[in-house]
Amino acid sequence: MTDDGTPPVAGAPAASAAANTDLDWMTAALDEARLAVDHGDVPVGAVVVDALGRELGRGHNRREVDADPTAHAEILALRAAAVSRGHWRLDDCTLFVTLEPCAMCAGAMVNARLGRLVFGATDPKAGAVVSLYRLAEDTRLNHRFAVTAGCAPEPSVALLQGFFRALRARGEK
């Protein structure tokens, strides 16, 4: 039976995409983050989901491979979501990202009119949502968005620590 008591339709999915939890979407963002390691980028991943629980876009850091300082996971996921949607307003969307966004990415979320942000690990050196700045709630800006911090921070931290440990072991940083 479905949630409303009717029998399931043959061939229909057992549960809607909206049934995914924050943790499920953060797991998808972590999977995306792992892809960045393959080309030497810091492992940060992001996924944008609409109010109906449909994935609209995803991305992982590509600064090194694309030689692009703006190729952060969040920016790439927001761009993909806007293309998928056919317009830039993402006011009913949630962005899931493994690391607290920097000022550039938080600013892009303001400009996209993002509805909600969920992130894993805080970033004491560059975080612009709760650590260094609070751009998501700054009343001087023309838009604010809800924030859920600390969703599965441990795997995000472990992924980042492993990446930087390997870099140091190779003498690269």
Side-chain angles (χ1 to χ4, degrees):
M1 290 290 179
T2 62
D3 289 341
D4 64 2
T6 60
V9 176
S16 73
N20 285 347
T21 66
D22 285 358
L23 186 56
D24 294 328
W25 288 115
M26 186 58 68
T27 299
L30 283 160
D31 291 342
E32 190 69 22
R34 289 181 187 94
L35 299 174
V37 177
D38 294 342
H39 46 76
D41 274 283
V42 176
V44 176
V47 178
V48 177
V49 179
D50 71 10
L52 297 176
R54 297 176 297 208
E55 181 179 318
L56 298 180
R58 61 173 53 206
H60 59 274
N61 277 1
R62 295 185 54 88
R63 292 188 318 164
E64 300 295 335
V65 72
D66 291 348
D68 179 355
T70 69
H72 288 204
E74 301 95 320
I75 299 292
L76 300 175
L78 288 168
R79 287 177 182 163
V83 168
S84 174
R85 182 163 263 194
H87 59 87
W88 60 270
R89 287 186 180 268
L90 302 175
D91 54 325
D92 67 335
C93 295
T94 299
L95 187 145
F96 295 86
V97 63
T98 57
L99 182 65
E100 178 184 359
C102 69
M104 175 182 69
C105 293
M109 292 172 204
V110 168
N111 285 312
R113 308 300 193 265
L114 186 71
R116 179 175 175 239
L117 166 69
V118 177
F119 71 85
T122 57
D123 185 350
K125 293 184 178 182
V129 177
V130 300
S131 295
L132 298 178
Y133 309 101
R134 300 184 85 74
L135 294 181
E137 63 187 43
D138 192 325
T139 58
R140 296 170 297 178
L141 300 175
N142 62 343
H143 176 74
R144 283 159 294 288
F145 51 90
V147 175
T148 302
C151 179
E154 296 85 1
S156 297
V157 169
L159 191 57
L160 290 162
Q161 287 176 339
F163 174 79
F164 287 111
R165 189 176 303 117
L167 276 185
R168 287 189 298 276
R170 293 191 305 266
E172 294 182 31
K173 287 202 179 180

